[in-house]
Amino acid sequence: MLEKVDLKKMMMKEEYKQVAEGLKARLSVLQQSIKANKLPVIILFEGWGASGKGSRIADMILNLDPRYFKVTSFIEADSAERRKPLLWRYWEKIPAQGQIAVFDRSWYQDISVAKLEQDVDDGEIARRTESIKTFERQLADDGCLIIKFFLHISKKDQKQRFENLLSSKNTAWQVTDRDLKRNKHYDEYYEVLDQMLTNTNTDYAPWHVISSHDKNSCMADIYTILVSSIEKAIAQKREEYKPLPPESPVILSPKFTLVEMPKLQDIDLNRTLSEETYKEQLKKQQAKLSVLHNKIYKKRIPVIVAYEGWDAAGKGGNIRRVAAALDPRGYEAIPIAAPTKDELAHHYLWRFWTRLPKTGHIAIFDRTWYGRVMVERLEGFCTSEEWHRAYQEINEFEKELYDWGAVIVKFWLHIDQDEQLRRFTERQNTPEKQWKITEEDWRNREKWPQYEVAVNDMLRYTSTDFAPWNIIESNDKKFARIKALRTLIHAIELRL
């Protein structure tokens, strides 16, 4: 892609002024349309050192209302960031609906300079490249506009700019030994960067490679592309929406191996434990888990435990028995309620990406990202197209966590309708438990058949070989607690 760029492209000052004036005004107006249409926008700048990324960004944002954009400069990940998944720090910064995020460098440094400077092998570069493409596709599918610029200059031009900066003590600090080394090995970096651009140039997030030799020409191209891309995105957003029929088939990538799961109606719920056996096993299994918690901390293995289940299935009590075995400094129990206003303005996975544990720590989610294909599906909080797409997105999310090194343990706590009614009635008639029962619980109970269909679909489409579902028979809470502990212990032992 780089060889196609005309590095000698020039534009005289008067011509630039004439062209840019209208584009700048249009960009300012479009920012209001972005806000009105709730369009999230990412404007990403990559390019050679000394290609002018900072000054181009500075010029561009002069035309924008600072209340509705934020500039983030990404440098090499620090030690804390390296204890999270590769894409975690970028997910944290994605814009809300109606906002613009401007990135000075981005996730692309993890597949470009990383290959030459961090001893990352070709296999890992290929994996990261696919992760980035998946990330961008998920954002684009959710309605985010991604505009990617690569500012290109020649080796000779770059060297001259470095020399100009070094000639003054006021600017010499801007040039590092690494910058000079990169210029010396320009051809090697050229090959890697060109491959990166080619491999990640997609329909949903295309690259715009621009000559940055001449500032006027460069800024004219940037403004033209910004205005054109935003106008097109807003026009598409205003097009009449054609809903996907709910009965449409779910389409999954063949790259995932699914684990066959039984349907809920075929689960034997007559599994019990005596009180004596329960107490004995609880003590034994908690002691095992406590030892394992120390081991995963030392080996920096993250663990993610996801709890889903019927209302009143005993998730809270089950979580408490797991947590009782853990060092409180090394785990967090995360209750997931209805999304806040800010969470609703982001991609639905955003609030889960931002709550992931550090390496060596455990995150226990009380309800999870699977709300997308259950309550959001049935209550109409997302479109049919969105929940159909979510099975693939969730598998991709969990694969990212698995590739990062996480142990993923997913529980569905299963009870029958009679047991749920008994527990609901007990809660309602017990003053200290009444806070646990709401009108919404009763309404959800009336939709049991619809929820059962949704849960069976969830188990069918998202039980993968790297993150399988575990159905916990929970009519007897004692049996359920011990089975969950044993399942979690087994998963950790396998990884160790």
Side-chain angles (χ1 to χ4, degrees):
M1 292 183 71
L2 293 176
E3 65 180 12
K4 296 179 181 179
V5 180
D6 180 7
L7 291 176
K8 297 179 180 180
K9 188 176 180 181
M10 301 281 288
M11 181 176 282
M12 300 303 292
K13 185 176 181 180
E14 287 304 315
E15 183 186 359
Y16 170 71
K17 186 176 180 181
Q18 186 178 1
V19 170
E21 189 172 343
L23 291 171
K24 290 179 181 181
R26 185 63 186 142
L27 182 59
S28 297
V29 173
L30 283 172
Q31 187 182 16
Q32 300 309 311
S33 295
I34 287 170
K35 186 171 181 295
N37 286 276
K38 295 184 177 180
L39 176 69
V41 179
I42 292 174
I43 305 172
L44 177 159
F45 284 85
E46 289 283 352
W48 295 98
S51 61
K53 293 183 294 296
S55 60
R56 304 297 182 263
I57 290 171
D59 286 350
M60 180 190 72
I61 62 176
L62 288 175
N63 307 283
L64 301 175
D65 186 330
R67 294 174 295 175
Y68 306 117
F69 77 83
K70 184 173 182 179
V71 177
T72 303
S73 180
F74 287 107
I75 58 175
E76 191 173 323
D78 61 26
S79 58
E81 290 168 336
R82 286 194 292 272
R83 294 190 67 182
K84 299 279 191 171
L86 183 73
L87 292 172
W88 168 80
R89 63 183 182 138
Y90 307 116
W91 267 100
E92 274 213 319
K93 301 298 183 182
I94 65 171
Q97 294 171 355
Q99 297 281 332
I100 299 174
V102 182
F103 295 153
D104 178 5
R105 294 205 179 277
S106 66
W107 38 92
Y108 284 103
Q109 62 190 313
D110 296 316
I111 59 171
S112 56
V113 295
K115 182 174 181 178
L116 294 173
E117 298 176 356
Q118 296 174 19
D119 198 28
V120 182
D121 62 39
D122 289 342
E124 175 61 13
I125 292 295
R127 191 199 69 77
R128 292 183 182 185
T129 299
E130 288 307 306
S131 295
I132 285 168
K133 289 165 69 174
T134 296
F135 171 46
E136 292 180 347
R137 194 208 73 239
Q138 288 182 355
L139 294 182
D141 284 346
D142 197 52
C144 183
L145 171 61
I146 305 170
I147 306 173
K148 303 188 302 192
F149 293 112
F150 185 92
L151 304 188
H152 188 26
I153 54 175
S154 67
K155 180 178 182 179
K156 181 180 178 181
D157 194 8
Q158 185 188 48
K159 184 178 181 181
Q160 183 61 57
R161 293 184 185 194
F162 283 154
E163 289 175 353
N164 291 342
L165 291 169
L166 288 168
S167 66
S168 170
K169 63 180 181 181
N170 294 323
T171 57
W173 62 272
Q174 296 180 39
V175 183
T176 66
D177 290 340
R178 185 162 64 174
D179 290 327
L180 297 175
K181 180 182 177 183
R182 288 175 178 177
N183 179 255
K184 183 178 180 180
H185 298 278
Y186 181 95
D187 292 343
E188 293 175 46
Y189 283 91
Y190 182 104
E191 184 178 347
V192 169
L193 290 168
D194 192 58
Q195 190 67 49
M196 175 201 80
L197 293 167
T198 302
N199 290 342
T200 58
N201 186 45
T202 59
D203 292 338
Y204 48 83
W207 278 105
H208 303 281
V209 184
I210 299 173
S211 169
S212 194
H213 172 73
D214 175 65
K215 178 181 178 180
N216 292 339
S217 171
C218 182
M219 286 308 303
D221 285 345
I222 288 172
Y223 285 130
T224 300
I225 292 165
L226 285 174
V227 168
S228 173
S229 300
I230 295 169
E231 285 180 338
K232 183 180 177 181
I234 290 172
Q236 289 176 341
K237 196 169 179 66
R238 289 173 176 168
E239 288 180 1
E240 185 178 353
Y241 171 68
K242 296 178 182 178
L244 181 73
E247 65 275 10
S248 298
V250 172
I251 300 174
L252 295 177
S253 168
K255 65 183 178 181
F256 297 125
T257 301
L258 298 179
V259 177
E260 188 173 350
M261 296 296 295
K263 293 193 172 182
L264 293 183
Q265 60 265 34
D266 298 329
I267 302 298
D268 178 11
L269 291 172
N270 298 313
R271 310 288 297 276
T272 62
L273 279 182
S274 68
E275 184 68 26
E276 182 181 354
T277 302
Y278 168 67
K279 288 182 178 178
E280 175 190 329
Q281 284 298 313
L282 182 64
K283 185 177 180 181
K284 180 180 179 181
Q285 301 306 325
Q286 286 179 331
K288 277 188 179 181
L289 184 57
S290 181
V291 171
L292 290 174
H293 193 193
N294 287 327
K295 289 184 178 181
I296 64 169
Y297 180 80
K298 289 178 181 177
K299 292 183 177 290
R300 294 203 165 187
I301 298 172
V303 177
I304 296 168
V305 188
Y307 274 88
E308 291 286 357
W310 297 106
D311 292 331
K315 293 184 293 296
N318 205 296
I319 290 171
R320 284 196 296 274
R321 272 61 182 190
V322 169
L326 305 176
D327 185 327
R329 297 167 296 180
Y331 84 91
E332 182 181 7
I334 305 167
I336 299 298
T340 63
K341 185 177 179 180
D342 190 37
E343 289 167 344
L344 284 171
H346 286 83
H347 191 288
Y348 74 97
L349 287 175
W350 176 74
R351 64 176 176 151
F352 303 106
W353 270 100
T354 56
R355 289 169 165 162
L356 295 176
K358 295 184 291 187
T359 52
H361 287 237
I362 298 175
I364 306 172
F365 286 91
D366 180 0
R367 297 207 182 279
T368 68
W369 39 96
Y370 284 99
R372 189 65 156 189
V373 294
M374 289 192 290
V375 63
E376 292 182 37
R377 165 183 171 174
L378 294 177
E379 301 300 333
F381 297 148
C382 65
T383 67
S384 177
E385 182 182 14
E386 287 171 333
W387 65 257
H388 272 79
R389 196 170 66 228
Y391 298 110
Q392 174 75 9
E393 292 170 336
I394 287 170
N395 287 341
E396 290 168 337
F397 169 52
E398 292 176 351
K399 186 62 164 61
E400 281 296 312
L401 303 183
Y402 176 81
D403 288 345
W404 166 49
V407 177
I408 307 164
V409 183
K410 303 186 302 195
F411 294 128
W412 173 262
L413 271 56
H414 189 39
I415 57 176
D416 60 34
Q417 286 182 279
D418 291 339
E419 179 62 19
Q420 187 188 61
L421 179 59
R422 187 190 70 76
R423 294 182 187 183
F424 276 12
T425 304
E426 181 188 8
R427 288 179 176 184
Q428 194 158 296
N429 295 334
T430 307
E432 60 268 26
K433 292 184 178 182
Q434 286 175 353
W435 64 273
K436 291 185 175 183
I437 189 78
T438 66
E439 287 300 319
E440 184 179 356
D441 293 327
W442 290 106
R443 285 195 301 272
N444 288 343
R445 177 174 165 76
E446 292 174 3
K447 296 182 179 181
W448 183 287
Q450 296 99 304
Y451 270 95
E452 188 166 328
V453 170
V455 174
N456 280 329
D457 283 347
M458 175 190 78
L459 297 173
R460 176 186 176 187
Y461 296 125
T462 63
S463 190
T464 57
D465 56 348
F466 52 84
W469 276 103
N470 300 279
I471 298 176
I472 307 295
E473 302 88 339
S474 300
N475 268 11
D476 177 20
K477 292 181 180 179
K478 299 187 295 296
F479 176 87
R481 292 165 184 170
I482 298 305
K483 182 174 180 179
L485 279 164
R486 283 175 169 167
T487 303
L488 177 57
I489 287 166
H490 179 65
I492 296 173
E493 286 177 337
L494 277 179
R495 177 57 57 87
L496 290 171

